[in-house]
């Protein structure tokens, strides 16, 4: 999984963000957490969300939202995969 630069992270569409904060830094536009531009990032987001719930930094409903978006991305990539 390649690291995302700040510019790449900002370019990830909202539909591929796990969670959106209500406001960005300094009261700006909403910013996303858990970017999922590809399958590797989606799988990683699910793992990090599980860790967040265990640690107490994420609620189970937030994890469910992240998992739902990640599962959509993981299913899309699976359709074209060879067995």
């Amino acid at each position: 999984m390649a690291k995302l630069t700040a510019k790449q992270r900002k370019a990830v569409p909202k539909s591929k963000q796990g969670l959106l904060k209500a406001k960005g830094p300094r009261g700006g536009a909403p910013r996303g957490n858990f970017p999922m531009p590809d399958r590797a990032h989606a799988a990683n987001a699910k793992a990090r969300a599980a860790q967040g719930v265990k640690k107490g930094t994420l609620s189970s409903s937030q994890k469910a939202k992240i998992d739902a978006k990640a599962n959509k991305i993981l299913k899309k990539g699976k359709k074209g995969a060879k067995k």
Side-chain angles (χ1 to χ4, degrees):
M1 176 178 69
K3 286 190 176 185
L4 295 176
T5 64
K7 188 176 182 179
Q8 290 170 326
R9 182 181 292 268
K10 288 179 184 179
V12 175
K14 289 180 183 179
S15 63
K16 293 195 176 191
Q17 298 280 343
L19 289 176
L20 292 177
K21 295 179 187 176
K23 291 186 178 179
R26 299 183 193 107
R31 299 285 303 265
N33 287 332
F34 301 95
M36 299 181 231
D38 53 34
R39 289 179 49 98
H41 281 87
N44 190 286
K46 288 182 71 165
R48 300 304 143 239
Q51 286 178 340
V53 170
K54 193 172 186 179
K55 191 175 178 181
T57 57
L58 279 179
S59 69
S60 57
S61 64
Q62 289 173 318
K63 180 188 178 302
K65 288 179 185 179
I66 293 166
D67 287 349
K69 284 191 177 188
N71 287 338
K72 285 182 185 178
I73 293 168
L74 292 170
K75 284 182 182 180
K76 283 182 185 177
K78 206 171 194 179
K79 289 179 184 176
K82 293 182 181 179
K83 290 185 178 180

